[in-house]
Structures are given as C-alpha cells and as structure tokens.
Amino acid sequence: MKSWKWKNGNGENQANENHTKNHSKVHEETMDGFTGDFHTDSERIKQQLSPHSDVHFRYFYLGATEVPAMLIYVDGLSDKDVIEKHIMKSLMTDFSEQHSKEANIEAGRISLDFIINKLLPASEIKEIQNISDLVSKVLTGWAALLLAGESDIMIIGTAKGMKRALEEPSSEALVRGPRVGFTESLSDNTAILRGLGETSDLFLTKFQVGKTSKKELVIAYVEGIANPEIVEEVKNRIQRINIDYVPESGYIEQLIEDNYLSPFPQIQNTERPDRVMGALMEGRVAILLDGTPFALIVPVTLSMLLQSPEDYYERWIPGTLIRLLRFFAAFISLLAPAMYIAFISFHPGLIPTKLVMSIAGSREGVPFPAIIEALIMEISVEILREAGLRLPRPIGPAIGIVGGLVIGEAAVQAGIVSPIMVIVVAITAIASFAIPQYSVGISLRFLRFIAMFSAALLGLYGIILFMLFLGSYLVRLKSFGIPYVSPPAPYRLSDWKDFLVRMPLFMMQSRPKMLQPKNLKRKD
C-alpha cells in the first residue's frame, strides 16, 4: 500500500478521484439512455438535434389510437418518398380489428414488435438504446422513430444519398475493355464487384474509419486464394487508423503504407473494377472507401504499376510489345535529360562526330551550361503540366500544348536554350504520358531531377551511381511484406511469365508465388 501511495502521491485523493470519474461515467451513460417517457425523451432528442437546421421532427399519432410518436430525419439525406409512402402511411393508417390484440394497445402504448414485424415495410430496421447513436445515425440519413412507452428507439434505413451514373474512368482510359468505373457510392462499388462474377468466395469486411466524422470502409478479398497473413495485416493497419476524418482513399493509402519516406507508391489506386477483380483473383486485397471512386490494391510491385489491364485483353504478342514499350518509356522519362547533360558536359567524345557538331552549332550563343538549360525547360514543362490539370477541361489541354510550343520556340529564338534541349524535354514529357499510373509518373518526375544533378556532377558515373543507389533502395523496399521489385529480386522464374513478357494465357496457370496464395493454381 505504501508503494502505491509513493507512486501516485496521495492515495486517498487518487482513490476518490477515480471513484468520482467512474461515477460520472456511469451517470453519463445513464443520461445518454432513453427513459421511456415520451415527453422527456423527445425533448432530450430535440435538444441534441435542434442546432442542426436541416433536421425535421414530425409528431403524429399511431393509427386511430392516442399513442404519440415522433419521426426524426434529415432533409436531403433521407428519402422523403420512402418516409411518406412507406413509413408515415403505414403508421398513420387505422389498424384493422384483427390486429387489435396483436398490437397490444394498452396503457397508451403499442407493442414494438408489432410495429417492426407488421407495419413497417422497411428492409433495414435497428433498435438503439442511447441518444449518441441516434444522433450519428440520423445525421447520416437514417430516420428515427420514437414511440410512447418504449425505452428503445427504432432507426430505419432511409438514406438516399447523391449518386452519379456509372461512367468510364477518366484517369485510366483504355482502347479495349469494360467502360464501367467505380463511383462515390460504396454500395454501388461493392455491387459492381459482385456483378463481375458469380462467386461466394468474395468476402467483403466492413470497417468504420474516422473519429469525429465516421465513414464506411470495405476490405475485399477472395477466400481460398488470398494469403490470410496479408488479409490480417491489412485489417490490423486499418484498425490502427486514428484520425478525425477520412475524405478520400489517399488518406488511407498514406496511413497504412510501409514507408512514408519513399518516393514510390506502395499501394495502387484505381477506378477500374476489372483491375480490382483481376488483382483479387491473384490473391491481393482491395480497399474501398465510401465517398471516393478510387479503390486501393495491396500488396503491389513496381512492375505491376507499369502494367495495364489492356495487356491481357489483346493477344500476347502485341500485349508484350506494348508492355516493353511502356517500360522503355519509363526509362526515357527518368533518364533522358540526365543522359543529355552527361554527354554534352562530360562525354562529347562518345557522340558521333556529325551529331556532336550539329549539337555544338545549335548550342552556339546559349549562355547557360547544360544543367541550367535543362532545369529551365523541365521546370517550365512541369508548371505547364500542372496548370493544364487545374484549368477548366475545355481549355486545359490547349493551354498546355500551345504554351509548351510558344515557350519552347521563344526560348530558342532568345538564345536561352538550344533546339536539341527542347527536343529532349519534349520526348521526356511524351514518354511520361505513356505510364499508366499517375502516381508512378510523379515519382519518376521527382527522381528525374536527382538524376540530372548526379549527371551534372559526375557525368555518366553520376548516373551509374544514381541507378545503383536507386536499385539497392528498391530491393529493400516492401509492400505489406512483399518485395517491391519482385519477381527479379528475389528471383522467381515462374512469375516472369507476367513480368516483361506477357506469356499466352494458357501458359499462365499459376498465380504469383510472391503473394503465397492459398491456392496457387488457376486451373485444375
């Protein structure tokens, strides 16, 4: 006892303080519950919800009885047609004599079971016991029904929501493939996934994220294929999220990724249901958040982020060639300006004589070294690219293209940059557009500047050192325990069938071994 007092100061004061806290907590829980007195409960509910001007309180009597009731709903979020035609009409209609005993009308009250089972034609009805739950449900579109003499309150699923039509994803355009993309409605998105194939193995586990403003989140995986350890790790990371509000899946992506300092995305985001379903059938896990059309896929690899669903819709030879072209475009996007700087500043002898004479002639009169010249053009292109994204859609692309042409031509005429530099920057920008994932494109644009400075310091040796450091970093990077550069490292020959070369479909009979799925074979 003495040691307890020594650790906590005055033991009696601490005990009294704990007792007071426990008593106040019990008192708050008691005050949060309903009393069963209609007048008292209705006033307490109004006191909690009256500051919200869009909350409506509708008083009425049940049927031809004198039993008072109150319906609470939010204008705009709750479906008024459902409230008027299915709830109010059912509750205010006179009960027939054959139900008088079943209704148990006595002492100014009506049986709650009779209301639920006989009167209300609603698919979602829950009973709640405290005001805090009532407030949170009403403010998300549910309607609450308070009956005289009942200590429980019914909440009825009347949430209407604001939905848009199914459209083609604007961020992931394809020549061939499904034209349906996810929407902002979580129920619509889960229904789209269900509709892609008839299977009872697709499991959807629901969570709530956000402390102050709660939103629903669903984890999707295929039971019997997905590695249980990966599924459990995803659930644990979701449950550890501690933030007041999650407006978009980008918040989830940043809160559950392995390394927040990495320039590379360790979680894939997509608007395409076919991409999500393909990933689920490989043994990956998808995360869908209410209020955003972007789903998340984990775990991912770098090669996966450079692939497109269209690779599988075309025959394997053109699919492979397009994929190889995409990998080459990523290489150009990363290293083209750095290679130009290295050759011009340090290794002109490696360039053919006629070409080096042509480049030297075009650079005559340019007052800046190659690194400054490249930085001027690259920063200008990045500003134009960002401006094109923020401008209204009808004029955004035109401003980006025309602005680039005008600035490039004006810079050449003024002698600030050389024509060959404009060509290099233009090729780099075009190559970056061939990358299917916008987030990967941002990463390569960031690393491009590091490669340029490395080339300006040490030439080709600087580029080689940059690539060595980048390669060693990528080998150590993981996404939910899966090596980021797999299958090259660690080397798995079977997974190379869907890496640089997309083999014919009949040859890809196994799922990726790096995911360690429960069922490795795609075919029996």
Side-chain angles (χ1 to χ4, degrees):
M1 189 66 177
K2 289 182 180 180
S3 63
W4 182 87
K5 286 184 178 181
W6 179 79
K7 291 180 180 178
N8 296 279
N10 191 328
E12 293 181 1
N13 291 339
Q14 182 72 27
N16 290 334
E17 188 176 328
N18 291 337
H19 175 74
T20 303
K21 287 182 180 180
N22 294 334
H23 179 72
S24 62
K25 185 177 179 181
V26 172
H27 180 67
E28 288 176 3
E29 292 177 354
T30 304
M31 290 300 293
D32 194 39
F34 298 108
T35 64
D37 181 74
F38 181 80
H39 178 74
T40 303
D41 290 338
S42 62
E43 288 301 318
R44 290 172 59 201
I45 293 172
K46 289 186 68 174
Q47 185 179 3
Q48 292 286 329
L49 289 172
S50 57
H52 305 281
S53 59
D54 54 347
V55 177
H56 288 217
F57 304 92
R58 175 67 163 90
Y59 291 93
F60 60 95
Y61 291 100
L62 292 177
T65 69
E66 296 297 324
V67 179
M70 181 175 69
L71 191 71
I72 309 110
Y73 65 93
V74 175
D75 186 22
L77 277 182
S78 300
D79 194 327
K80 281 190 176 181
D81 288 336
V82 174
I83 291 174
E84 293 171 359
K85 297 178 181 178
H86 298 284
I87 299 177
M88 298 296 298
K89 186 176 180 180
S90 300
L91 294 176
M92 298 182 71
T93 302
D94 188 15
F95 309 139
S96 60
E97 293 184 0
Q98 60 182 356
H99 289 306
S100 60
K101 288 186 177 180
E102 197 172 359
N104 192 21
I105 304 174
E106 58 181 19
R109 65 183 297 272
I110 293 181
S111 169
L112 192 63
D113 292 336
F114 171 77
I115 297 292
I116 295 174
N117 298 324
K118 295 293 183 179
L119 290 187
L120 284 181
S123 59
E124 290 182 288
I125 299 179
K126 299 178 182 179
E127 297 180 40
I128 57 176
Q129 292 78 35
N130 54 71
I131 294 180
S132 58
D133 289 343
L134 179 143
V135 171
S136 62
K137 287 294 184 182
V138 167
L139 294 180
T140 55
W142 291 66
L145 179 63
L146 173 64
L147 300 178
E150 291 292 340
S151 59
D152 292 346
I153 281 189
M154 287 184 293
I155 54 171
I156 308 161
T158 57
K160 178 177 61 175
M162 293 167 285
K163 300 179 180 180
R164 63 178 174 91
L166 299 180
E167 300 173 351
E168 182 178 358
S170 58
S171 62
E172 298 174 88
L174 294 181
V175 176
R176 182 175 182 177
R179 302 299 179 186
V180 178
F182 286 129
T183 69
E184 286 76 14
S185 172
L186 181 60
S187 58
D188 286 351
N189 294 341
T190 55
I192 291 173
L193 280 183
R194 291 284 188 195
L196 290 178
E198 184 178 342
T199 175
S200 59
D201 293 330
L202 177 59
F203 279 50
L204 303 175
T205 306
K206 187 172 291 187
F207 294 85
Q208 279 194 335
V209 291
K211 299 299 181 182
T212 303
S213 180
K214 298 182 183 296
K215 296 185 74 172
E216 289 188 343
L217 177 146
V218 165
I219 293 176
Y221 61 96
V222 178
E223 181 69 20
I225 296 179
N227 187 337
E229 294 182 1
I230 295 178
V231 175
E232 194 62 30
E233 179 63 23
V234 175
K235 291 180 179 179
N236 291 337
R237 295 192 188 187
I238 294 295
Q239 290 172 342
R240 288 198 299 265
I241 292 177
N242 186 12
I243 193 171
D244 57 348
Y245 177 55
V246 182
E248 215 274 336
S249 59
Y251 275 57
I252 303 295
E253 181 178 353
Q254 297 172 63
L255 291 170
I256 66 173
E257 64 183 352
D258 289 63
N259 187 351
Y260 71 94
L261 295 175
S262 174
F264 291 94
Q266 298 133 63
I267 298 173
Q268 185 177 28
N269 63 81
T270 179
E271 288 185 86
R272 303 198 63 89
D274 56 332
R275 187 193 288 270
V276 172
M277 197 62 187
L280 293 179
M281 297 307 295
E282 286 184 346
R284 305 182 196 272
V285 180
I287 302 171
L288 296 90
L289 179 69
D290 190 27
T292 174
F294 286 91
L296 305 178
I297 300 174
V298 295
V300 298
T301 60
L302 182 60
S303 61
M304 176 182 170
L305 295 172
L306 295 175
Q307 297 171 1
S308 170
E310 204 169 15
D311 296 349
Y312 305 94
Y313 302 150
E314 297 288 350
R315 296 177 61 252
W316 76 276
I317 295 178
T320 297
L321 293 177
I322 293 173
R323 180 177 293 184
L324 291 174
L325 184 63
R326 204 177 294 125
F327 276 83
F328 179 70
F331 178 81
I332 294 296
S333 175
L334 177 64
L335 294 179
M339 297 290 288
Y340 170 81
I341 294 169
F343 280 116
I344 293 299
S345 302
F346 291 88
H347 314 287
L350 298 177
I351 307 175
T353 304
K354 290 186 178 180
L355 179 58
V356 74
M357 294 296 293
S358 175
I359 295 174
S362 67
R363 283 184 49 80
E364 185 178 358
V366 176
F368 304 113
I371 178 63
I372 302 299
E373 184 185 8
L375 285 175
I376 291 173
M377 288 305 301
E378 282 293 337
I379 293 174
S380 300
V381 168
E382 292 300 326
I383 292 174
L384 284 171
R385 191 202 304 260
E386 191 66 19
L389 289 175
R390 308 305 166 200
L391 286 171
R393 285 189 179 182
I395 63 174
I399 292 296
I401 296 172
V402 174
L405 293 174
V406 170
I407 290 177
E409 180 66 21
V412 171
Q413 292 294 331
I416 298 175
V417 298
S418 62
I420 189 67
M421 184 73 250
V422 176
I423 295 173
V424 171
V425 171
I427 292 174
T428 304
I430 293 172
S432 66
F433 290 129
I435 299 172
Q437 285 286 309
Y438 178 73
S439 56
V440 181
I442 295 177
S443 301
L444 294 181
R445 284 153 60 184
F446 165 73
L447 293 171
R448 183 190 307 154
F449 286 93
I450 300 179
M452 289 164 56
F453 284 111
S454 301
L457 290 174
L458 298 172
L460 286 177
Y461 299 105
I463 296 177
I464 293 171
L465 286 174
F466 166 76
M467 293 301 295
L468 287 174
F469 280 117
L470 181 62
S472 62
Y473 170 76
L474 288 174
V475 167
R476 291 184 286 112
L477 186 62
K478 292 186 177 181
S479 171
F480 285 79
I482 303 301
Y484 197 64
V485 291
S486 184
Y491 181 78
R492 290 185 178 89
L493 180 61
S494 60
D495 290 348
W496 277 68
K497 295 180 181 179
D498 193 22
F499 177 42
L500 294 175
V501 176
R502 203 278 285 171
M503 300 298 287
L505 293 177
F506 69 87
M507 297 183 63
M508 296 192 297
Q509 299 183 8
S510 300
R511 295 184 173 86
K513 285 186 177 180
M514 57 184 162
L515 299 175
Q516 298 180 356
K518 293 175 67 176
N519 184 4
L520 187 61
K521 296 294 183 181
R522 292 180 180 270
K523 298 181 180 180
D524 294 331

